[in-house]
Amino acid sequence: GEIIGVLSVSAHRTGSFSEPDRRLLEVVGERVALAIGQVQLRDREQRLAETVQRTLLPQTLPDLPGVTLRARYLPHSAGVGGDFYDAIRLPGGRVGVAIGDITGKGLRAAATMGRLRSALHAYALDASRPADVLNRLGRFAQVDGAMATALYLVLDPATGWMELASAGHLPPLGIGAGETAFIDVRAALSPPLGWAAERHAQLRLRLPPGRGLLLYTDGLVELTHNLDEGMRRLAGAADAAPAGSLDAFCDHLLGVVAGDDRYHDDVAMLVLRRDD
């Protein structure tokens, strides 16, 4: 009962269309209407999934002395995924920072992301070691039937010391103080969440004043389907970014790496910098 379009057919002379022609055109119209309806349904589902995902992501990041935090999220133009980030205020002035990527697309991935992020938040407040947090989160993912990569770190802004653990996630990019380089996280690497694996390894390192870390999901570095090339491009963009504002830094990265809309996945990124 809803008009969604008009099918116009013409002929050179009046009376060219017979009754079988009319029945055929009715069938064509029904098929076209069905196809349009399916596209509209997918569009509505995508908008719903994007709304759900944005609602489940942090609306604000904690304002803590000694550290500056900024984040960005770009949904994929053809479907929402399960990328997430979080920053958690911890006892003693510390901050827990996480980034992750759920396998799958659409509303189901967004809902799974919400459950994992809520569990991560709870575990981070209960366990102090990042490896223990990811270990618990991995068991939760197994029960939930989810698969995801994730990286979680805890930073003490007063001293600069931080501990980091990675569940199959891409390495963070060190920025600031005249140096841009990826952090070697192999010593803290374990299988993705959802695998039957215990996670005990983690990395301890110090973040000097003025130095920062960029955490990101693979949508930011897989534009050309070549991970190495994408990571080199990301490092080059970060190296050429304007100094000072982290907001300007994030906007510069997205403008260089994803500004031409060639990204084929959703993109999440979180930047932290230890203040001078």
Side-chain angles (χ1 to χ4, degrees):
E2 178 185 358
I3 296 176
I4 59 175
V6 176
L7 175 64
S8 176
V9 182
S10 62
H12 289 297
R13 52 189 175 83
T14 304
S16 298
F17 299 116
S18 63
E19 182 61 22
D21 292 333
R22 187 185 63 80
R23 290 197 296 269
L24 174 62
L25 290 174
E26 287 180 350
V27 172
V28 171
E30 290 172 356
R31 298 298 186 270
V32 172
L34 181 61
I36 293 174
Q38 289 175 338
V39 171
Q40 291 175 333
L41 180 62
R42 287 196 296 268
D43 289 343
R44 286 194 293 268
E45 181 180 343
Q46 179 181 341
R47 289 194 296 270
L48 176 60
E50 183 177 336
T51 300
V52 169
Q53 186 171 35
R54 289 192 181 277
T55 302
L56 293 174
L57 289 171
Q59 303 303 301
T60 59
L61 297 175
D63 185 11
L64 296 170
V67 63
T68 302
L69 298 164
R70 293 292 186 270
R72 294 288 190 275
Y73 168 71
L74 286 179
H76 176 31
S77 56
V80 174
D83 288 15
F84 71 91
Y85 61 85
D86 206 350
I88 307 160
R89 187 190 301 267
L90 299 175
R94 298 173 303 142
V95 60
V97 176
I99 191 131
D101 188 357
I102 310 295
T103 300
K105 301 293 178 190
L107 190 58
R108 181 184 297 273
T112 300
M113 176 272 289
R115 294 193 296 272
L116 281 187
R117 180 175 164 258
S118 297
L120 169 68
H121 213 104
Y123 297 146
L125 294 172
D126 188 54
S128 59
R129 297 181 71 249
D132 294 338
V133 173
L134 290 188
N135 202 31
R136 298 183 184 186
L137 193 63
R139 291 197 294 268
F140 179 90
Q142 268 191 288
V143 173
D144 196 59
M147 186 73 68
T149 66
L151 185 145
Y152 178 64
L153 66 86
V154 175
L155 170 68
D156 183 348
T159 64
W161 284 107
M162 67 178 179
E163 295 178 320
L164 176 152
S166 174
H169 202 77
L170 293 167
L173 180 65
I175 59 173
E179 182 183 358
T180 302
F182 289 99
I183 306 298
D184 186 353
V185 298
R186 286 175 294 181
L189 196 60
S190 61
L193 304 176
W195 286 58
E198 293 293 318
R199 294 167 177 83
H200 302 289
Q202 62 181 40
L203 184 66
R204 188 170 190 263
L205 51 93
R206 187 172 182 272
L207 195 67
R211 188 86 172 132
L213 289 178
L214 166 64
L215 282 61
Y216 55 94
T217 56
D218 57 6
L220 195 62
V221 292
E222 290 186 343
L223 306 180
T224 62
H225 301 276
N226 185 314
L227 186 59
D228 291 335
E229 180 183 338
M231 293 177 71
R232 284 193 297 269
R233 186 181 184 193
L234 176 62
D239 200 39
S245 166
L246 286 188
D247 284 313
F249 175 84
C250 292
D251 294 340
H252 171 81
L253 284 191
L254 293 180
V256 171
V257 179
D260 54 7
D261 292 332
R262 290 188 298 122
Y263 61 97
H264 62 278
D265 199 353
D266 47 343
V267 172
M269 53 187 287
L270 190 150
V271 187
L272 66 92
R273 181 177 63 199
R274 188 182 173 209
D275 298 335
D276 293 326

